[in-house]
DNA sequence: GCTATCCATGAGTAGAATTCATAATACATG
DNA sequence: CATGTATTATGAATTCTACTCATGGATAGC
């Protein structure tokens, strides 16, 4: 009934002072505007303006409606602009899911320059303890998945962005502290501190202990990486962490990295939905992640 | 481009959860909505929602647009409602022009019940000193004219609403105070206090002095009725005023009314544009004015 | 697996918006 | 005062758009 056109015409007429000029500005005929407004007047039962000499003068009702136009139209125009930014990937919310706990620290380095480059894009990090990355990604719960374990999925694509070694972190005074590397059997008297996730998602089990059919003396779980490192530093146990993390905080806390067997080499991958791969800010995020400074090359903020 | 329908559909879908249900609610086909939204998506280059099982789930862009819908649609709906009130005369601004100064006091009595009856109608009183009523009325400067001097005009209609007598007001101690009536010649030694308007708009000149070819000793002008009455009461001069006004304030201030010759009998008229005569609140105003209590029948508030 | 219930889509149609041509009106100007 | 140039208004023709209908494809529940 009361359509956007009507408001546009009203505003244009108010600005240019005449139907003819307004029609010009809108790329339409004067006749079109006249017909269209006449119809609206008929439907509403109101006169919006009245001829006064050769120009038009708004009635009370017209003024009222013009007021509406001045409020509503900018809102619609901004909305269109924003939506077109969504379309071109200059705006949106990038919801990032994280599967590996220490990845969070790595992520922070990528997010900072990303935010600077896309001021209209919000970033939201979802770091649930129990978190099935791939389903969350394909189910549109998150738009980007940071994980060391890419999976095969028809709609998803994974990009390796950062290589690292998973090592054993031990306290400075620990009996294994001086070693270059250790065997799986050497952990059987150790307390192993891990994140609270199933063993099949912990590399130290899947890639190191399980193949040798070994187990630690005990396993404790902790959610927070900082606390975990503190516990290790205080000699309460040992933990598997990325080498760059140990080397970065090691000097500060008193941590030492020890290679696990021949070394567990991993890669942080970024997973996205195939449909999103060409969205500007998502592609740029991956680009940025690839070129991001290696965690150990630069100190943390 | 982004039309009202789109917002309506978006809101309806958000509410009912499915296109089919929304179509039902809007009295359209599911197909219609699907086509229409698809087109919008194409124009904007955005997907608004995505099929999830058998229902729809809004994307970020969709959520954003839904937000717009929730802001804009109510505004439009209210606007339509208000305009239809304009149409039926239940809303508007009644701009009243006053030509005769003391009429203002009479007007107040009509305005009060009018405001109570039309809570959505604003009243604006324009009481310029130099004020040509008829042109202001036909030129849409005012919607209602309160005047004792109706004019002939093809587009205007005047309704007599209140009869009164124009009398001479004198102070209690004045030499004419006891008289029932006076002749024009008896004013030649008096100071006549009037409103600052041309003599041809003052009844005491046109209907009393001019026919007898008389003039007062002097003429002073004052804009304010209260001051005018004070001046007369203090014996500084005499003035022509409606009888009801003199009788209402006379006891209080010390004023007495004296008939001018055989009496000057006037009528307050309400002028409206013919086109407006059937507007609800205007017709009601005239109705109310006709039935209003005579000023002298009731004391002022 | 079958069925009910969604959404998507192509083709045809009814209706609405737009244009064109022209009338009616107001203002300026020689 | 007539003439020319601005307006807006209006009727008829045309173009275009939005809608419906019919149907296909997908999903969830039984």
């Amino acid at each position: 009934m009361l359509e956007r056109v009507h408001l546009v015409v009203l505003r244009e007429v108010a600005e240019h002072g005449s139907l003819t000029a307004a029609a010009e500005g809108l790329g339409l005929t004067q006749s079109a505007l006249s017909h269209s407004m006449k119809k609206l007047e008929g439907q509403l039962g109101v006169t919006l303006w009245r001829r006064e000499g050769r120009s038009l003068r708004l009635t009370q009702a017209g003024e009222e409606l013009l007021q509406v136009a001045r409020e509503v139209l900018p809102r619609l125009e901004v909305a269109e602009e924003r939506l077109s930014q969504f379309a071109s990937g200059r705006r949106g919310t990038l919801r990032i899911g994280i599967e590996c706990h220490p990845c969070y620290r790595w992520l922070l380095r990528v997010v900072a320059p990303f935010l600077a480059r896309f001021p209209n894009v919000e970033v939201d990090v979802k770091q649930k303890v129990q978190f099935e990355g791939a389903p969350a990604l394909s189910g549109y719960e998150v738009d980007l998945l940071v994980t060391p374990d890419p999976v095969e999925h028809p709609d998803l694509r994974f990009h390796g962005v950062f290589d690292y070694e998973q090592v054993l972190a031990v306290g400075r005074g620990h009996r294994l502290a001086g070693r270059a590397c250790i065997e799986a059997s050497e952990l059987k008297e150790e307390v192993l501190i891990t994140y609270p996730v199933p063993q099949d998602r912990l590399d130290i089990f899947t890639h190191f202990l399980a193949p040798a059919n070994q187990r630690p003396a005990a396993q404790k779980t902790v959610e927070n990486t900082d606390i975990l490192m503190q516990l290790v530093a205080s000699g309460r146990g040992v933990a598997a962490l990325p080498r760059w993390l140990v080397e970065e905080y090691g000097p500060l806390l008193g941590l030492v990295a020890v290679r696990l067997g021949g070394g567990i080499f991993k890669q942080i991958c970024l997973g996205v939905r195939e449909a999103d791969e060409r969205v500007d800010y998502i592609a740029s995020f991956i680009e940025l992640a690839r070129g991001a400074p290696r965690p150990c090359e630069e100190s943390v903020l």
Side-chain angles (χ1 to χ4, degrees), chain A residues 14 36 38 57 79 86 141 144 178 206 248 260:
Chain A
S36 144
K38 193 102 210 164
R57 177 79 157 279
F86 268 105
E141 258 187 84
L144 191 82
T206 57
E248 192 165 292
L260 292 161

Side-chain angles (χ1 to χ4, degrees), chain A residues 83-202:
Chain A
L83 284 228
S84 89
Q85 289 184 347
F86 268 105
S88 59
R90 280 172 292 139
R91 174 182 297 275
T93 299
L94 179 62
R95 296 163 303 173
I96 305 174
I98 303 185
E99 272 192 328
C100 62
H101 281 69
C103 292
Y104 183 71
R105 286 213 142 64
W106 169 84
L107 182 66
L108 288 179
R109 298 161 174 278
V110 186
V111 166
F114 176 79
L115 287 176
R117 179 150 157 205
F118 291 88
N120 286 328
V121 176
E122 303 300 321
V123 170
D124 191 5
V125 175
K126 309 214 169 185
Q127 191 179 18
K128 297 208 192 106
V129 178
Q130 291 292 22
F131 183 71
E132 282 299 319
L137 190 54
S138 60
Y140 283 83
E141 258 187 84
V142 297
D143 306 306
L144 191 82
L145 185 63
V146 184
T147 178
D149 305 306
V151 297
E152 275 296 322
H153 191 291
D155 301 337
L156 305 182
R157 290 281 299 272
F158 286 86
H159 303 265
V161 290
F162 172 58
D163 297 303
Y164 68 97
E165 183 188 353
Q166 189 79 342
V167 297
L168 189 74
V170 300
R172 199 159 25 210
H174 194 273
R175 65 176 179 97
L176 297 172
R179 300 281 295 280
C181 71
I182 60 161
E183 294 306 315
S185 60
E186 295 183 79
L187 285 186
K188 80 172 118 193
E189 287 145 31
E190 299 295 330
V191 173
L192 182 63
I193 309 175
T194 69
Y195 297 109
V197 297
Q199 287 192 356
D200 61 4
R201 282 189 48 207
L202 293 167

Side-chain angles (χ1 to χ4, degrees), chain A residues 149-300:
Chain A
D149 305 306
V151 297
E152 275 296 322
H153 191 291
D155 301 337
L156 305 182
R157 290 281 299 272
F158 286 86
H159 303 265
V161 290
F162 172 58
D163 297 303
Y164 68 97
E165 183 188 353
Q166 189 79 342
V167 297
L168 189 74
V170 300
R172 199 159 25 210
H174 194 273
R175 65 176 179 97
L176 297 172
R179 300 281 295 280
C181 71
I182 60 161
E183 294 306 315
S185 60
E186 295 183 79
L187 285 186
K188 80 172 118 193
E189 287 145 31
E190 299 295 330
V191 173
L192 182 63
I193 309 175
T194 69
Y195 297 109
V197 297
Q199 287 192 356
D200 61 4
R201 282 189 48 207
L202 293 167
D203 295 317
I204 192 169
F205 282 99
T206 57
H207 291 67
F208 186 63
L209 292 168
N213 205 22
Q214 297 288 334
R215 324 170 101 258
Q219 186 183 354
K220 281 188 193 170
T221 62
V222 169
E223 281 194 21
N224 182 284
T225 304
D226 290 303
I227 302 298
L228 187 147
M229 290 194 289
Q230 297 277 0
L231 291 175
V232 172
S234 72
R236 306 266 165 90
V238 298
L241 288 175
R243 179 178 290 278
W244 58 264
L245 191 60
V246 178
E247 290 182 346
E248 192 165 292
Y249 290 88
L252 223 69
L253 298 167
L255 289 182
V256 176
V258 180
R259 173 160 291 178
L260 292 161
I264 301 177
F265 296 99
K266 301 285 296 179
Q267 186 181 39
I268 290 182
C269 291
L270 296 184
V272 294
R273 287 179 295 275
E274 198 167 7
D276 284 354
E277 245 183 343
R278 312 193 60 184
V279 171
D280 195 14
Y281 64 79
I282 290 184
S284 292
F285 190 96
I286 297 173
E287 200 56 44
L288 234 42
R290 280 219 174 85
R294 294 302 159 100
C296 36
E297 287 171 6
E298 220 180 65
S299 74
V300 128

